[in-house]
Amino acid sequence: MLKKTFAALTMGFTLLTAGQVMAADYVIDKEGQHAFIDFRVKHLEYSFITGTFRDLDGTFSFDAAKPEDSKIDVNVRTASLFTNHTERDKHLREKEYLNVDKFPDARFVSTGVKLTGNNAEGKLTADVTGDLTLSGVTKPIVVKSTFLGEGDDPWGGYRAGFEGTASILREDFGQTGKLSPGSSRIDLYITFEGIRAK
């Protein structure tokens, strides 16, 4: 009787766990330079200044069968800002802007994922909400995200890739420096590959 009960419990546990989705853990590919956080801001209402952050890392968990359970944590070294103009980059690192000496890191930690359908190419889309900490201020933001795909790479690893867009206001994050009219809004473009942990 005891053996039958134990066998039944084992069978039930096996069936239960077989139906569960296990998200895989990934490390963003910083070493291979397959991760980018780019930005643009209006200049004099005539054009845009664009730039990027050259130093970032992070992790995420993801399973295509249950993407709404995904999580991401990204850290950016603010001093790595680059706009292809040395004096401007130095200015933007100062106290009234990024204040990199006091706040050397910016961080985004997801708090939820809401699926929004598929884009014109059939790629899965979602709104990823999360907390962005920048210049010592933490605010919730939404990243409009697209799952680009996953699969084996040529080096024996397994990868998953994403892209996303978001907009923030500099003043929301304590940025007191004055730029040209219309420069309050910063548009962000993010894309990265992650390598699945073995």
Side-chain angles (χ1 to χ4, degrees):
M1 181 67 178
L2 184 60
K3 288 184 178 180
K4 289 182 178 180
T5 302
F6 180 75
L9 288 172
T10 302
M11 179 70 73
F13 179 77
T14 301
L15 291 173
L16 178 64
T17 55
Q20 294 178 341
V21 175
M22 299 298 290
D25 294 325
Y26 292 79
V27 175
I28 290 176
D29 184 14
K30 170 186 174 180
E31 298 303 321
Q33 292 298 318
H34 294 119
F36 302 88
I37 297 180
D38 300 334
F39 61 87
R40 72 173 192 169
V41 58
K42 277 189 177 180
H43 180 250
L44 300 177
E45 295 289 341
Y46 306 142
S47 65
F48 288 91
I49 291 171
T50 65
T52 192
F53 290 95
R54 290 174 155 181
D55 189 4
L56 64 103
D57 56 44
T59 59
F60 63 91
S61 63
F62 176 76
D63 191 302
K66 203 170 184 182
E68 63 271 22
D69 287 347
S70 300
K71 299 181 185 301
I72 183 169
D73 187 337
V74 177
N75 195 60
V76 179
R77 259 61 64 187
T78 54
S80 70
L81 170 140
F82 176 77
T83 68
N84 201 32
H85 189 283
T86 301
E87 288 303 313
R88 177 171 57 223
D89 293 351
K90 180 180 177 182
H91 186 52
L92 293 176
R93 295 184 185 111
E94 293 176 351
K95 184 176 180 180
E96 66 268 32
Y97 297 102
L98 289 174
N99 198 1
V100 301
D101 289 337
K102 186 175 181 180
F103 304 109
D105 297 290
R107 187 181 183 192
F108 175 80
V109 180
S110 65
T111 57
V113 176
K114 180 181 178 182
L115 302 184
T116 55
N118 299 89
N119 65 13
E121 297 176 342
K123 303 291 188 181
L124 182 69
T125 61
D127 288 346
V128 179
T129 57
D131 292 329
L132 174 63
T133 300
L134 177 64
S135 300
V137 178
T138 300
K139 295 277 188 180
I141 68 168
V142 178
V143 181
K144 301 287 186 181
S145 304
T146 302
F147 171 49
L148 299 176
E150 63 181 324
D152 296 326
D153 65 25
W155 309 282
Y158 190 90
R159 294 175 180 249
F162 299 83
E163 68 176 354
T165 59
S167 294
I168 62 174
L169 298 178
R170 292 189 302 110
E171 292 82 359
D172 286 348
F173 294 90
Q175 307 274 327
T176 60
K178 300 300 181 184
L179 296 174
S180 61
S183 66
S184 290
R185 173 172 160 160
I186 307 293
D187 295 322
L188 302 171
Y189 173 74
I190 306 105
T191 186
F192 57 83
E193 294 176 13
I195 303 172
R196 189 168 64 187
K198 296 182 179 179

